[in-house]
Amino acid sequence: FFMKLLEGKTAIITGASRGIGKGIATIFAEHGANVAFTFSSSVEAAKALEIDLHAHGTVVKGYQSNAANFDDSQKLVERVLNDFGTIDILINNAGVGITGPMEEIQADAVAANFATNCFGPLEMAQAVLPQMRHQKSGLIINVTSIAGVMGLPFRGVYSASKSALSIMSESLRMEVKSFGIEVCTLAPGDYATDIASRRYHAPVVKDSPYQKIYQESLDTMDAHVNEGNPPQEIAAAIAQIIEKEKPKVHYQVGPFMQKLSKTLKNILPSRIFEKLIMNHYKL
């Protein structure tokens, strides 16, 4: 059934030359979708993905684009429409990690993270919506994070940018529903990708009181990513969302305890939940 739903559709998938995005692009092409994917730097990886996915008999094309630049988003959509003629699905997957003590992290680093994780997906949605309205159909899935439902030590900016995208998605969903367009989010937990190697780490200032606990927390984060499940699970979760005639606003995918954390935050007294998080990060 999923194959029939995707067959002949055109999807834009941002940040798809590796990791989660690559898994999503692969399963889309395997099931008959034409794929327009974006990448920011790795031209070689993008070309290799084009060659691999063309073998499935669908049209696949990579576009170098800056996820945090609105002009790039507009130009990208124009090029995709020129190449494919339509846009049926937008998967806003491009994102970047960031860590640092809230007391010390630089404001420009915070702004840069929001530009990629929050403003970029919004600008991509703004760019595709006129075409989707014209078609009277479309689906936008914003990839957020389970980390976006709570403040985490030394990941506050990342949590905040993903949380902001989640809330904006709720508003956008209500605004475009009458045009036949669906909007939802998918919040992954930790998966075995190379995000840790690309994460921005705010430098520790001289004589920082956070130096020891910050490094220990980084080691914990990296261990969770390295031990995570394969990113193909996220692509499978996207497939399940597409199968639904009326998707919910929010979905989660990841290890059971990470998914449970959202429920625990809602039902436990705040001091107890905070203690659980602090114990997890050995604070």
Side-chain angles (χ1 to χ4, degrees), residues 78-101:
E78 290 173 5
R79 292 171 63 194
V80 171
L81 285 173
N82 184 62
D83 293 339
F84 292 85
T86 185
I87 298 169
D88 302 294
I89 302 168
L90 168 64
I91 310 292
N92 270 318
N93 166 72
V96 64
I98 183 172
T99 66

Side-chain angles (χ1 to χ4, degrees), residues 172-194:
L172 178 62
R173 173 185 170 93
M174 292 183 282
E175 293 168 1
V176 303
K177 191 173 285 287
S178 64
F179 303 122
I181 302 165
E182 293 287 351
V183 178
C184 61
T185 73
L186 177 64
D190 290 323
Y191 277 86
T193 71
D194 64 347

